[in-house]
Amino acid sequence: PAPAAAGRAPGPPDGGWGWVVVFGAFVSIGFAYAFPKGLAIFFKEIQDFFGTSYSEIAWVSSIMLATTYGAGPISSILVNRYGSRPVVMFGGLLCGVGMISAAFCTSILQLYICVGFITGFGLALNLQPSVIIIGKYFLKRRPIANGLAMAGSPVMLCTLAPLNQFLFDNFGWRGSFLILGAILLNCCVAGALFRPIGAGTALVKTQVNKEEKDALKEKIIEDGPMGKKIEEEEGKDCFEKVNQYLDFSLFKHRGFLIYLIGNVLMFLGFFAPIVFLAPYAKHTGIDEYSAAFLLSILAIVDMVARPATGIIANSRWVRPRIQYFFSFAIAFNGACHLLCPLASSYTGLIVYSSFFGLAFGMVCAMLFETLMDLVGAARFTSAVGLVTIAECCTILLGPPIGGILIDTFGVYKYMFIKCGAVMVLAGTFLFIMNYYNYRMLAKEEKERKKKEKDLKSVRTENEGKKIWNKDSTQDGPELEPLREKGEGVKKEINGT
């Protein structure tokens, strides 16, 4: 079905206030991605405080990430209904409330609720609207704008990693959570920068349609049995609205299904290495600040990698085949994790963190750009919601599985190998299936052109026959002898 374009601007401005929107998305996306990773600094101390295992403490980040992705459809529906600005501002408020409440928790279960669900849901209301509004403001420069906005994650991570260690040393984990809750309220400021673009027409149209429907119902319901039909129509319209916000016909889209399967597999090993990087460094005997500095190194490289990847992806050589570039980035990420167990010294961990930051930045810079390349900007809002809710299952399971492997074997090596193998498999799958998809698209385009050509030739032939028949049935002196002869034959037959 044709995608609904209600509420979209006639054309993205590709600049102007759009760069201010990119800055707001930079802050909002930065907190949404970096905050769950930055909390890993407190995990060792919280684990000792509550007496929990590695897998139990890993559920805090997993629930937060899973809620952030699983609430994607809710976030998409709210954006379509109210716009990006109020949704992001409300999400920032939820984040602050969740972290401030977590400072008063007395059990790990309460941390799951406050940090995992409440803060995670607030981050979901920050992530999706920020990505969606960039697609409304940019078209030609969209990969660059996405790369700059996604660079907020490494910048925030680079800042949060040493900041969290400083806050813990001076205020403990409870005092740190109070301060972090106040810092997260800056998402409300970022959301205030998201000036609506082309959203007014959709709301006005909805209100007008509702008023017309109510008037029609009042007019017809007097007739008696027609009231039931009106109620049925209203129920049908409600379903159509849900289908408009979440376009389930995307599950018939071949490219979307390939992207979805590959990403669901990828996220099984995507976040676990970051969650356990600092604890792994502490496990090898490295002090706390040096372990936190590894996350800063990763973030600094990631900070440069994302805009650079956006510029490369926007080039005329890469953009037509950006899906291949995305597949390579995922496989490269997995290869880094497979080689991580070889890094036994602090220098080796610095090298690993650098390459991991490069690969991680490449994947994140193209994560949403490749999806928009497949489904188009008009269907992107629905696609983001459907993808994130499907990915939340593997995001939820990834870090706890890694924690179980660490608890079982007592070493971190098998966790990194598992993550690397899964990501290499996901990258290979996406590369092969995207090659198949490109071949099928070329074949379908060729058949479409051939069909149009055949229809055109048939239409031309039919038009020629019609012209010939018209000419042959015209009255004229040349046809008079034949007509008279035919009438004579007809009379003889009738007489016989």
Side-chain angles (χ1 to χ4, degrees):
R8 290 187 55 81
D14 265 312
W17 188 261
W19 297 116
V20 180
V21 172
V22 168
F23 175 73
F26 175 91
V27 175
S28 185
I29 292 173
F31 278 118
Y33 274 119
F35 196 77
K37 305 165 196 169
L39 285 182
I41 298 296
F42 303 101
F43 281 179
K44 183 67 177 174
E45 287 72 23
I46 295 175
Q47 180 183 351
D48 295 336
F49 185 86
F50 290 114
T52 59
S53 63
Y54 281 104
S55 57
E56 287 176 325
I57 196 65
W59 278 103
V60 176
S61 286
S62 293
I63 293 172
M64 183 187 289
L65 289 168
T67 306
T68 301
Y69 278 78
I74 300 174
S75 181
S76 298
I77 291 172
L78 291 175
V79 170
N80 279 321
R81 182 66 182 87
Y82 300 105
S84 293
R85 176 185 281 175
V87 173
V88 174
M89 295 177 72
F90 179 66
L93 184 62
L94 274 182
C95 291
V97 170
M99 288 305 298
I100 292 171
S101 302
F104 302 96
C105 290
T106 57
S107 67
I108 192 70
L109 180 60
Q110 293 174 358
L111 273 182
Y112 291 161
I113 296 171
C114 295
V115 179
F117 288 108
I118 298 176
T119 306
F121 185 66
L123 294 177
L125 299 184
N126 277 271
L127 178 60
Q128 272 80 10
S130 303
V131 176
I132 289 166
I133 199 168
I134 290 175
K136 294 182 178 180
Y137 268 93
F138 290 91
L139 179 62
K140 293 181 180 179
R141 300 175 182 174
R142 194 179 64 211
I144 298 175
N146 273 321
L148 290 172
M150 297 296 282
S153 174
V155 172
M156 292 295 177
L157 183 59
C158 183
T159 307
L160 285 174
L163 176 64
N164 287 349
Q165 190 65 51
F166 172 78
L167 292 176
F168 174 76
D169 291 340
N170 290 275
F171 304 102
W173 68 270
R174 293 187 185 276
S176 301
F177 278 17
L178 280 172
I179 297 172
L180 290 173
I183 292 174
L184 281 174
L185 293 175
N186 284 286
C187 293
C188 300
V189 182
L193 299 175
F194 292 171
R195 181 185 295 171
I197 176 170
T201 55
L203 297 177
V204 172
K205 186 177 179 182
T206 303
Q207 292 174 359
V208 171
N209 289 340
K210 187 176 180 182
E211 290 174 1
E212 290 177 354
K213 188 185 294 180
D214 291 340
L216 183 62
K217 181 180 176 181
E218 290 176 1
K219 184 178 179 181
I220 299 179
I221 200 169
E222 297 174 357
D223 296 337
M226 293 300 293
K228 293 182 180 179
K229 293 184 179 180
I230 295 293
E231 294 296 333
E232 292 175 1
E233 289 296 322
E234 285 187 353
K236 185 179 179 181
D237 289 344
C238 181
F239 176 77
E240 288 176 353
K241 286 180 182 178
V242 173
N243 192 45
Q244 178 184 354
Y245 292 139
L246 294 175
D247 188 1
F248 292 103
S249 66
L250 283 167
F251 287 106
K252 297 180 180 179
H253 191 293
R254 184 174 57 243
F256 174 78
L257 288 176
I258 293 171
Y259 177 91
L260 181 64
I261 295 171
N263 275 260
V264 166
L265 183 62
M266 176 194 74
F267 276 109
L268 197 59
F270 191 60
F271 287 113
I274 293 181
V275 172
F276 290 107
L277 179 58
Y280 173 52
K282 293 178 184 179
H283 179 76
T284 57
I286 297 170
D287 62 277
E288 289 83 357
Y289 276 95
S290 298
F293 185 64
L294 290 174
L295 290 175
S296 299
I297 293 172
L298 185 151
I300 291 169
V301 178
D302 190 3
M303 194 189 312
V304 178
R306 296 196 190 201
T309 302
I311 294 171
I312 294 171
N314 198 48
S315 64
R316 59 189 179 90
W317 298 284
V318 178
R319 192 168 185 182
R321 293 293 183 268
I322 194 173
Q323 306 296 334
Y324 291 149
F325 194 29
F326 182 57
S327 306
F328 165 76
I330 295 173
F332 177 49
N333 204 321
C336 293
H337 301 326
L338 289 174
L339 297 175
C340 178
L342 301 177
S344 56
S345 63
Y346 187 64
T347 304
L349 286 176
I350 290 176
V351 174
Y352 164 71
S353 300
S354 302
F355 279 98
F356 182 22
L358 175 63
F360 191 84
M362 291 172 66
V363 173
C364 290
M366 293 183 290
L367 192 61
F368 295 109
E369 175 59 33
T370 48
L371 178 59
M372 197 177 294
D373 175 72
L374 287 169
V375 303
R379 308 175 81 180
F380 181 66
T381 305
S382 296
V384 167
L386 294 173
V387 165
T388 52
I389 196 172
E391 291 169 348
C392 74
C393 297
T394 50
I395 290 172
L396 179 67
L397 295 174
I401 290 175
I404 290 172
L405 290 174
I406 295 169
D407 291 333
T408 303
F409 297 101
V411 292
Y412 286 77
K413 176 174 68 173
Y414 298 105
M415 186 274 299
F416 285 105
I417 291 174
K418 183 269 296 183
C419 294
V422 165
M423 294 198 69
V424 168
L425 179 63
T428 306
F429 169 81
L430 284 173
F431 188 89
I432 294 172
M433 294 307 296
N434 281 317
Y435 173 76
Y436 167 77
N437 187 37
Y438 280 132
R439 289 287 300 272
M440 291 300 295
L441 287 174
K443 183 179 179 181
E444 289 166 2
E445 180 67 16
K446 187 177 179 181
E447 290 178 354
R448 186 184 64 81
K449 289 182 178 179
K450 184 180 178 181
K451 189 175 181 181
E452 287 180 355
K453 187 177 179 181
D454 293 341
L455 288 173
K456 188 177 179 181
S457 62
V458 169
R459 194 181 301 115
T460 305
E461 185 178 349
N462 290 338
E463 288 175 357
K465 287 181 178 179
K466 288 179 181 178
I467 294 171
W468 185 85
N469 290 333
K470 186 177 179 181
D471 292 341
S472 62
T473 56
Q474 286 179 351
D475 294 332
E478 297 87 353
L479 299 178
E480 286 297 327
L482 293 175
R483 188 177 292 109
E484 292 176 358
K485 185 176 180 181
E487 289 176 356
V489 173
K490 187 177 180 181
K491 288 178 182 179
E492 291 179 3
I493 293 173
N494 290 336
T496 307

